[in-house]
Protein backbone atom coordinates (compact mmCIF):
# COMPACT_ATOMS: atom_id res chain seq x y z
CA UNK A 1 0.00 0.00 0.00
CA UNK A 2 1.29 3.48 -0.86
CA UNK A 3 2.12 5.49 2.24
CA UNK A 4 0.84 9.05 2.09
CA UNK A 5 2.11 12.29 3.65
CA UNK A 6 0.89 15.87 3.99
CA UNK A 7 2.49 18.31 1.57
CA UNK A 8 1.98 21.90 0.39
CA UNK A 9 2.25 21.93 -3.38
CA UNK A 10 2.36 24.43 -6.21
CA UNK A 11 -0.22 23.30 -8.77
CA UNK A 12 -0.36 26.56 -10.80
CA UNK A 13 2.06 29.51 -10.80
CA UNK A 14 0.77 32.53 -8.94
CA UNK A 15 -2.02 30.60 -7.17
CA UNK A 16 -2.19 29.64 -3.47
CA UNK A 17 -0.39 26.44 -2.48
CA UNK A 18 -2.55 23.34 -2.12
CA UNK A 19 -2.43 21.25 1.07
CA UNK A 20 -2.85 17.68 -0.03
CA UNK A 21 -1.79 14.09 0.33
CA UNK A 22 1.29 13.06 -1.63
CA UNK A 23 2.91 9.62 -1.81
CA UNK A 24 5.91 9.21 0.50
CA UNK A 25 8.89 8.73 -1.85
CA UNK A 26 10.88 5.50 -1.69
CA UNK A 27 14.66 5.97 -1.67
CA UNK A 28 16.30 4.28 -4.64
CA UNK A 29 19.97 3.24 -4.75
CA UNK A 30 22.16 6.11 -3.53
CA UNK A 31 19.22 8.06 -2.07
CA UNK A 32 17.90 8.65 1.44
CA UNK A 33 14.54 9.49 2.98
CA UNK A 34 14.41 12.29 5.57
CA UNK A 35 11.52 12.77 8.01
CA UNK A 36 11.05 16.53 8.17
CA UNK A 37 11.29 18.22 11.57
CA UNK A 38 11.39 21.85 10.41
CA UNK A 39 11.62 23.82 7.15
CA UNK A 40 12.29 27.55 6.79
CA UNK A 41 10.30 29.66 4.34
CA UNK A 42 12.60 31.61 2.00
CA UNK A 43 11.59 34.42 -0.36
CA UNK A 44 12.90 32.13 -3.11
CA UNK A 45 9.91 29.85 -2.40
CA UNK A 46 7.69 32.80 -3.38
CA UNK A 47 9.63 33.32 -6.62
CA UNK A 48 9.33 29.57 -7.30
CA UNK A 49 5.58 29.49 -6.67
CA UNK A 50 5.08 32.59 -8.83
CA UNK A 51 7.17 31.23 -11.71
CA UNK A 52 9.27 34.41 -11.54
CA UNK A 53 12.48 33.13 -13.12
CA UNK A 54 13.46 32.19 -16.69
CA UNK A 55 13.90 28.49 -15.82
CA UNK A 56 10.69 27.32 -14.17
CA UNK A 57 10.02 24.19 -12.11
CA UNK A 58 7.62 21.62 -13.61
CA UNK A 59 4.19 21.53 -12.00
CA UNK A 60 3.10 20.27 -9.57
CA UNK A 61 6.01 20.48 -7.13
CA UNK A 62 6.71 20.78 -3.38
CA UNK A 63 8.74 23.93 -2.50
CA UNK A 64 11.02 24.38 0.52
CA UNK A 65 14.82 24.23 0.64
CA UNK A 66 15.51 24.78 4.34
CA UNK A 67 14.22 21.36 5.41
CA UNK A 68 15.88 19.67 8.40
CA UNK A 69 15.08 16.18 9.61
CA UNK A 70 16.22 12.74 10.58
CA UNK A 71 17.35 10.11 8.10
CA UNK A 72 14.73 7.35 8.33
CA UNK A 73 15.63 5.16 5.33
CA UNK A 74 18.76 4.68 3.27
CA UNK A 75 18.84 3.22 -0.23
CA UNK A 76 21.28 0.60 -1.45
CA UNK A 77 24.93 1.61 -1.45
CA UNK A 78 24.58 4.68 0.78
CA UNK A 79 27.56 5.15 3.09
CA UNK A 80 27.74 8.94 3.51
CA UNK A 81 24.98 9.11 6.16
CA UNK A 82 23.31 6.69 8.54
CA UNK A 83 19.78 6.21 9.74
CA UNK A 84 19.01 8.53 12.67
CA UNK A 85 21.42 11.31 11.63
CA UNK A 86 20.08 14.87 11.43
CA UNK A 87 20.56 16.40 8.00
CA UNK A 88 19.39 19.39 5.98
CA UNK A 89 18.10 19.18 2.41
CA UNK A 90 19.30 22.43 0.85
CA UNK A 91 18.82 24.39 -2.37
CA UNK A 92 21.83 22.56 -3.84
CA UNK A 93 20.10 19.18 -3.97
CA UNK A 94 22.82 17.51 -6.05
CA UNK A 95 25.42 18.14 -8.75
CA UNK A 96 27.47 16.04 -11.18
CA UNK A 97 30.59 15.95 -9.00
CA UNK A 98 33.11 15.88 -11.84
CA UNK A 99 32.76 19.01 -14.04
CA UNK A 100 35.21 21.93 -13.79
CA UNK A 101 32.92 23.75 -11.33
CA UNK A 102 32.31 20.76 -9.08
CA UNK A 103 36.05 20.04 -8.98
CA UNK A 104 36.67 23.64 -7.89
CA UNK A 105 34.03 23.47 -5.09
CA UNK A 106 31.65 25.70 -7.07
CA UNK A 107 29.00 22.99 -7.35
CA UNK A 108 26.00 25.43 -7.28
CA UNK A 109 26.92 26.48 -10.85
CA UNK A 110 27.23 22.88 -12.12
CA UNK A 111 25.19 22.52 -15.33
CA UNK A 112 23.66 19.34 -13.94
CA UNK A 113 22.82 20.78 -10.51
CA UNK A 114 19.36 19.99 -9.16
CA UNK A 115 17.65 22.38 -6.78
CA UNK A 116 15.65 21.41 -3.69
CA UNK A 117 12.08 22.68 -3.67
CA UNK A 118 12.50 23.65 -7.34
CA UNK A 119 13.68 20.95 -9.75
CA UNK A 120 13.30 18.38 -6.92
CA UNK A 121 10.56 18.24 -4.32
CA UNK A 122 11.42 20.05 -1.11
CA UNK A 123 10.68 20.44 2.56
CA UNK A 124 7.06 21.62 2.69
CA UNK A 125 6.18 17.97 3.29
CA UNK A 126 6.49 15.39 6.03
CA UNK A 127 9.21 13.46 4.16
CA UNK A 128 11.95 14.56 1.72
CA UNK A 129 13.94 12.41 -0.67
CA UNK A 130 17.60 13.52 -0.68
CA UNK A 131 21.04 12.85 -2.10
CA UNK A 132 23.28 11.83 0.83
CA UNK A 133 26.35 13.38 -0.81
CA UNK A 134 24.77 16.85 -0.80
CA UNK A 135 22.81 17.04 2.45
CA UNK A 136 23.93 19.43 5.19
CA UNK A 137 25.26 17.72 8.31
CA UNK A 138 23.63 19.41 11.30
CA UNK A 139 26.01 19.83 14.24
CA UNK A 140 24.96 18.11 17.46
CA UNK A 141 23.41 20.67 19.79
CA UNK A 142 21.86 22.78 17.01
CA UNK A 143 18.08 22.28 17.05
CA UNK A 144 16.37 21.50 13.73
CA UNK A 145 14.30 24.70 13.84
CA UNK A 146 17.40 26.85 14.48
CA UNK A 147 19.40 25.07 11.78
CA UNK A 148 16.70 25.48 9.11
CA UNK A 149 17.35 29.14 8.13
CA UNK A 150 21.11 28.54 8.17
CA UNK A 151 21.02 26.07 5.27
CA UNK A 152 19.83 28.74 2.81
CA UNK A 153 19.69 32.24 4.33
CA UNK A 154 22.81 31.54 6.41
CA UNK A 155 25.07 29.93 3.81
CA UNK A 156 24.03 32.43 1.12
CA UNK A 157 24.90 35.49 3.17
CA UNK A 158 28.01 33.96 4.74
CA UNK A 159 29.36 33.11 1.27
CA UNK A 160 28.16 36.45 -0.15
CA UNK A 161 30.04 38.38 2.54
CA UNK A 162 33.21 36.42 1.74
CA UNK A 163 32.69 37.23 -1.94
CA UNK A 164 32.74 40.99 -1.17
CA UNK A 165 36.36 40.60 -0.06
CA UNK A 166 35.70 43.06 2.81
CA UNK A 167 38.27 42.61 5.57
CA UNK A 168 37.90 42.91 9.36
CA UNK A 169 37.45 46.56 10.35
CA UNK A 170 36.10 47.55 6.93
CA UNK A 171 32.51 48.45 6.12
CA UNK A 172 29.84 46.24 4.65
CA UNK A 173 26.43 47.54 3.61
CA UNK A 174 23.66 44.96 3.75
CA UNK A 175 20.64 45.92 1.68
CA UNK A 176 17.53 44.05 2.86
CA UNK A 177 17.39 43.11 6.55
CA UNK A 178 14.83 40.28 6.31
CA UNK A 179 15.36 36.52 6.32
CA UNK A 180 18.76 36.67 4.65
CA UNK A 181 19.75 40.11 5.90
CA UNK A 182 19.20 39.53 9.63
CA UNK A 183 21.65 36.62 9.42
CA UNK A 184 24.04 38.58 7.19
CA UNK A 185 24.35 41.27 9.87
CA UNK A 186 25.33 38.64 12.45
CA UNK A 187 27.84 36.87 10.16
CA UNK A 188 29.38 40.23 9.25
CA UNK A 189 29.78 41.25 12.91
CA UNK A 190 31.23 37.82 13.75
CA UNK A 191 33.71 38.35 10.90
CA UNK A 192 34.85 41.68 12.39
CA UNK A 193 33.18 44.00 9.87
CA UNK A 194 31.42 47.30 10.48
CA UNK A 195 27.83 46.99 9.31
CA UNK A 196 25.48 49.44 7.67
CA UNK A 197 22.00 47.90 7.27
CA UNK A 198 19.61 49.26 4.64
CA UNK A 199 15.90 48.42 4.48
CA UNK A 200 12.60 50.14 3.73
CA UNK A 201 10.99 49.19 7.03
CA UNK A 202 11.83 50.82 10.38
CA UNK A 203 10.92 47.63 12.28
CA UNK A 204 13.52 45.67 10.30
CA UNK A 205 16.06 48.43 10.90
CA UNK A 206 15.41 48.47 14.67
CA UNK A 207 15.95 44.71 14.60
CA UNK A 208 19.18 45.25 12.64
CA UNK A 209 20.42 47.63 15.35
CA UNK A 210 19.60 45.08 18.06
CA UNK A 211 21.60 42.50 16.08
CA UNK A 212 24.65 44.77 16.05
CA UNK A 213 24.37 46.96 12.92
CA UNK A 214 26.51 50.08 13.50
CA UNK A 215 24.46 52.31 11.17
CA UNK A 216 21.01 51.91 9.61
CA UNK A 217 19.52 53.69 6.59
CA UNK A 218 15.86 53.68 5.56
CA UNK A 219 15.87 53.52 1.75
CA UNK A 220 12.19 54.52 1.60
CA UNK A 221 12.31 57.69 3.66
CA UNK A 222 15.83 58.82 2.70
CA UNK A 223 16.15 61.20 -0.27
CA UNK A 224 19.41 59.54 -1.31
CA UNK A 225 20.18 56.24 0.51
CA UNK A 226 23.50 55.76 -1.31
CA UNK A 227 24.71 59.23 -0.30
CA UNK A 228 23.73 58.48 3.32
CA UNK A 229 25.71 55.22 3.29
CA UNK A 230 28.69 56.99 1.72
CA UNK A 231 28.61 59.70 4.39
CA UNK A 232 28.30 57.17 7.23
CA UNK A 233 31.13 54.96 5.94
CA UNK A 234 33.57 57.68 4.90
CA UNK A 235 33.27 57.14 1.15
CA UNK A 236 31.16 54.02 0.63
CA UNK A 237 31.10 50.45 1.88
CA UNK A 238 34.08 48.23 0.97
CA UNK A 239 31.59 45.44 0.42
CA UNK A 240 27.89 45.63 -0.40
CA UNK A 241 25.56 42.63 -0.15
CA UNK A 242 22.18 43.08 -1.80
CA UNK A 243 19.58 40.68 -0.43
CA UNK A 244 16.54 42.86 -1.15
CA UNK A 245 14.05 41.27 -3.58
CA UNK A 246 13.52 44.68 -5.17
CA UNK A 247 15.15 46.20 -8.29
CA UNK A 248 15.69 49.78 -6.97
CA UNK A 249 17.92 48.29 -4.24
CA UNK A 250 20.38 47.09 -6.92
CA UNK A 251 21.10 50.46 -8.51
CA UNK A 252 21.39 51.96 -5.00
CA UNK A 253 23.71 49.14 -3.90
CA UNK A 254 26.17 49.81 -6.72
CA UNK A 255 26.04 53.52 -5.86
CA UNK A 256 26.93 52.89 -2.19
CA UNK A 257 30.02 50.83 -3.06
CA UNK A 258 33.38 52.40 -2.18
CA UNK A 259 36.01 52.97 -4.87
CA UNK A 260 37.65 49.58 -5.62
CA UNK A 261 34.91 47.88 -3.56
CA UNK A 262 32.72 44.91 -4.49
CA UNK A 263 28.95 44.81 -4.74
CA UNK A 264 27.61 41.25 -4.40
CA UNK A 265 24.14 40.49 -5.74
CA UNK A 266 22.13 37.71 -4.08
CA UNK A 267 18.54 39.02 -4.19
CA UNK A 268 16.67 37.61 -7.17
CA UNK A 269 13.71 39.80 -8.16
CA UNK A 270 12.84 39.12 -11.80
CA UNK A 271 14.16 41.72 -14.23
CA UNK A 272 17.17 43.89 -14.96
CA UNK A 273 18.68 47.00 -13.43
CA UNK A 274 20.66 49.87 -14.97
CA UNK A 275 24.39 50.11 -14.23
CA UNK A 276 25.94 53.59 -14.45
CA UNK A 277 28.91 52.66 -16.58
CA UNK A 278 31.12 55.69 -15.99
CA UNK A 279 30.97 55.41 -12.20
CA UNK A 280 31.63 51.66 -12.17
CA UNK A 281 34.57 51.97 -14.57
CA UNK A 282 36.17 55.10 -13.11
CA UNK A 283 35.76 53.87 -9.51
CA UNK A 284 37.00 50.34 -10.37
CA UNK A 285 33.95 48.70 -8.79
CA UNK A 286 33.32 44.96 -9.02
CA UNK A 287 29.74 43.71 -9.41
CA UNK A 288 29.44 40.02 -8.71
CA UNK A 289 26.64 37.47 -8.47
CA UNK A 290 26.63 34.85 -5.71
CA UNK A 291 24.49 31.72 -5.56
CA UNK A 292 24.17 29.89 -2.21
CA UNK A 293 27.58 28.27 -1.53
CA UNK A 294 29.54 25.03 -1.67
CA UNK A 295 29.19 22.15 0.77
CA UNK A 296 32.30 23.46 2.48
CA UNK A 297 30.68 26.90 2.91
CA UNK A 298 27.66 25.05 4.34
CA UNK A 299 29.74 23.38 7.04
CA UNK A 300 31.37 26.71 7.94
CA UNK A 301 28.05 28.57 8.02
CA UNK A 302 26.57 25.90 10.33
CA UNK A 303 29.64 26.02 12.58
CA UNK A 304 28.99 29.74 13.29
CA UNK A 305 25.44 28.83 14.36
CA UNK A 306 26.57 25.85 16.45
CA UNK A 307 29.07 28.11 18.24
CA UNK A 308 26.28 30.60 19.03
CA UNK A 309 27.84 33.37 16.92
CA UNK A 310 24.75 33.69 14.73
CA UNK A 311 21.21 32.82 15.66
CA UNK A 312 18.20 32.89 13.36
CA UNK A 313 15.19 34.77 14.72
CA UNK A 314 12.41 32.35 13.99
CA UNK A 315 8.63 32.31 14.15
CA UNK A 316 7.17 28.78 14.18
CA UNK A 317 4.07 28.01 12.11
CA UNK A 318 2.28 24.81 11.09
CA UNK A 319 2.31 23.70 7.44
CA UNK A 320 -1.40 24.55 7.24
CA UNK A 321 -0.50 28.27 7.63
CA UNK A 322 1.72 28.31 4.51
CA UNK A 323 -0.49 30.57 2.36
CA UNK A 324 -0.84 33.11 5.16
CA UNK A 325 2.96 33.04 5.61
CA UNK A 326 3.48 33.56 1.85
CA UNK A 327 1.14 36.55 1.91
CA UNK A 328 2.98 38.15 4.83
CA UNK A 329 6.38 37.46 3.24
CA UNK A 330 5.22 39.07 -0.01
CA UNK A 331 4.03 42.17 1.86
CA UNK A 332 7.26 42.42 3.89
CA UNK A 333 5.45 41.60 7.15
CA UNK A 334 7.62 38.68 8.33
CA UNK A 335 10.04 40.09 10.95
CA UNK A 336 12.89 37.65 10.10
CA UNK A 337 12.25 33.99 9.23
CA UNK A 338 9.20 31.75 9.50
CA UNK A 339 10.01 28.08 10.09
CA UNK A 340 7.38 25.42 9.46
CA UNK A 341 7.32 23.16 12.51
CA UNK A 342 6.57 19.51 11.79
CA UNK A 343 6.93 18.39 15.40
CA UNK A 344 3.79 16.62 16.64
CA UNK A 345 1.69 18.90 18.86
P1 LIG B 1 12.68 38.53 2.89
O1 LIG B 1 11.37 38.90 2.28
O2 LIG B 1 12.72 37.78 4.17
O3 LIG B 1 13.56 39.86 3.11
C1 LIG B 1 13.68 40.88 2.16
C2 LIG B 1 13.99 42.19 2.89
O4 LIG B 1 14.25 43.20 1.90
C3 LIG B 1 12.81 42.71 3.72
O5 LIG B 1 13.28 43.06 5.02
C4 LIG B 1 12.33 43.93 2.95
O6 LIG B 1 11.78 44.94 3.80
C5 LIG B 1 13.64 44.39 2.31
N1 LIG B 1 13.48 45.26 1.14
C6 LIG B 1 12.49 45.25 0.19
N2 LIG B 1 12.71 46.23 -0.70
C7 LIG B 1 13.84 46.86 -0.35
C8 LIG B 1 14.59 47.94 -0.88
N3 LIG B 1 14.19 48.58 -1.99
N4 LIG B 1 15.73 48.32 -0.25
C9 LIG B 1 16.14 47.68 0.88
N5 LIG B 1 15.48 46.64 1.44
C10 LIG B 1 14.35 46.25 0.83
O7 LIG B 1 13.47 37.73 1.74
P2 LIG B 1 14.71 36.71 1.88
O8 LIG B 1 14.21 35.35 2.21
O9 LIG B 1 15.74 37.37 2.72
O10 LIG B 1 15.22 36.63 0.34
C11 LIG B 1 15.68 37.80 -0.30
C12 LIG B 1 16.05 37.56 -1.75
O11 LIG B 1 17.21 36.74 -1.82
C13 LIG B 1 14.99 36.87 -2.60
O12 LIG B 1 14.94 37.48 -3.88
C14 LIG B 1 15.51 35.45 -2.70
O13 LIG B 1 15.06 34.76 -3.85
C15 LIG B 1 16.99 35.71 -2.78
N6 LIG B 1 17.85 34.56 -2.43
C16 LIG B 1 18.96 34.36 -3.18
C17 LIG B 1 19.85 33.34 -2.88
C18 LIG B 1 21.09 33.16 -3.67
O14 LIG B 1 21.71 32.10 -3.55
N7 LIG B 1 21.52 34.12 -4.45
C19 LIG B 1 19.56 32.50 -1.80
C20 LIG B 1 18.41 32.74 -1.03
C21 LIG B 1 17.56 33.78 -1.35
ZN1 LIG C 1 16.43 30.21 0.06
ZN1 LIG D 1 29.29 19.47 -11.93
Amino acid sequence: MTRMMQAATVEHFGKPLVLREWAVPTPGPGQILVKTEACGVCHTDLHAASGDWPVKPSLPFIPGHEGIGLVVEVGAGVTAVKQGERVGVPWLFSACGHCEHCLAAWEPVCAEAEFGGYTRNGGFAEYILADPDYVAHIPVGLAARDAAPIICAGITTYKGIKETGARPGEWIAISGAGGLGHLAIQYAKAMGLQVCAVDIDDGKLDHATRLGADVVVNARTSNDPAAEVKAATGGGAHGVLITAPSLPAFKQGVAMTRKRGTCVLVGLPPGEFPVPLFGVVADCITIRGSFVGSRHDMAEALAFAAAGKVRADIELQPLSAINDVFGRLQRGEVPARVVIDFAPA
Side-chain angles (χ1 to χ4, degrees):
M1 205 180 75
T2 314
R3 272 194 303 163
M4 302 302 282
M5 64 180 182
Q6 274 298 313
T9 64
V10 177
E11 308 276 328
H12 303 282
F13 292 121
K15 292 276 187 302
L17 271 61
V18 176
L19 284 155
R20 57 175 263 195
E21 301 250 289
W22 189 284
V24 176
T26 305
Q31 295 181 321
I32 58 173
L33 187 68
V34 176
K35 186 170 193 321
T36 318
E37 297 175 291
C39 184
V41 183
C42 180
H43 208 107
T44 289
D45 297 314
L46 283 184
H47 295 307
S50 308
D52 274 349
W53 297 334
V55 181
K56 298 183 201 315
S58 352
L59 298 168
F61 70 98
I62 305 172
H65 53 272
E66 289 185 350
I68 310 289
L70 300 175
V71 178
V72 287
E73 280 177 47
V74 301
V78 171
T79 53
V81 299
K82 292 190 178 56
Q83 219 171 325
E85 281 179 16
R86 177 166 287 126
V87 298
V89 188
W91 178 252
L92 179 70
F93 182 94
S94 65
C96 84
H98 47 73
C99 71
E100 61 175 302
H101 309 300
C102 284
L103 289 177
W106 280 88
E107 55 268 39
V109 300
C110 172
E112 290 174 36
E114 299 273 359
F115 301 114
Y118 204 80
T119 65
R120 295 302 194 95
N121 286 320
F124 294 173
E126 292 173 288
Y127 292 89
I128 324 168
L129 197 68
D131 182 326
D133 290 334
Y134 288 85
V135 291
H137 300 272
I138 308 305
V140 175
L142 189 60
R145 54 183 62 170
D146 296 324
I150 304 297
I151 73 162
C152 177
I155 182 183
T156 301
T157 53
Y158 169 64
K159 171 71 164 181
I161 293 167
K162 288 200 290 182
E163 287 294 290
T164 69
R167 301 170 69 91
E170 294 184 338
W171 278 99
I172 185 155
I174 293 163
S175 169
L180 265 62
H182 93 285
L183 285 171
I185 292 162
Q186 298 177 59
Y187 278 107
K189 290 311 294 182
M191 291 155 88
L193 296 163
Q194 299 194 76
V195 173
C196 174
V198 182
D199 204 290
I200 53 172
D201 179 88
D202 280 333
K204 303 275 174 66
L205 292 172
D206 288 346
H207 189 205
T209 302
R210 291 196 296 279
L211 293 171
D214 301 278
V215 174
V216 297
V217 171
N218 187 320
R220 177 167 281 159
T221 55
S222 167
N223 289 331
D224 188 344
E228 261 193 60
V229 173
K230 281 197 153 157
T233 56
H238 303 81
V240 175
L241 182 75
I242 307 179
T243 77
S246 152
L247 287 175
F250 286 73
K251 190 174 172 200
Q252 286 166 10
V254 173
M256 56 185 73
T257 309
R258 202 181 192 90
K259 291 185 179 186
R260 296 191 288 121
T262 298
C263 180
V264 170
L265 320 181
V266 301
L268 274 167
E272 296 173 7
F273 76 99
V275 175
L277 210 43
F278 187 81
V280 169
V281 172
D283 290 348
C284 296
I285 284 169
T286 302
I287 301 174
R288 163 179 285 186
S290 189
F291 197 38
V292 287
S294 68
R295 289 169 288 177
H296 191 67
D297 296 315
M298 180 69 88
E300 291 181 350
L302 282 164
F304 276 76
K309 291 178 182 151
V310 304
R311 189 183 172 83
D313 268 320
I314 57 171
E315 172 192 320
L316 295 177
Q317 291 289 349
L319 186 63
S320 55
I322 191 68
N323 284 311
D324 173 54
V325 172
F326 266 34
R328 286 171 57 215
L329 196 56
Q330 188 79 62
R331 295 189 296 275
E333 293 168 8
V334 171
R337 201 54 142 195
V338 168
V339 171
I340 303 297
D341 184 11
F342 287 84

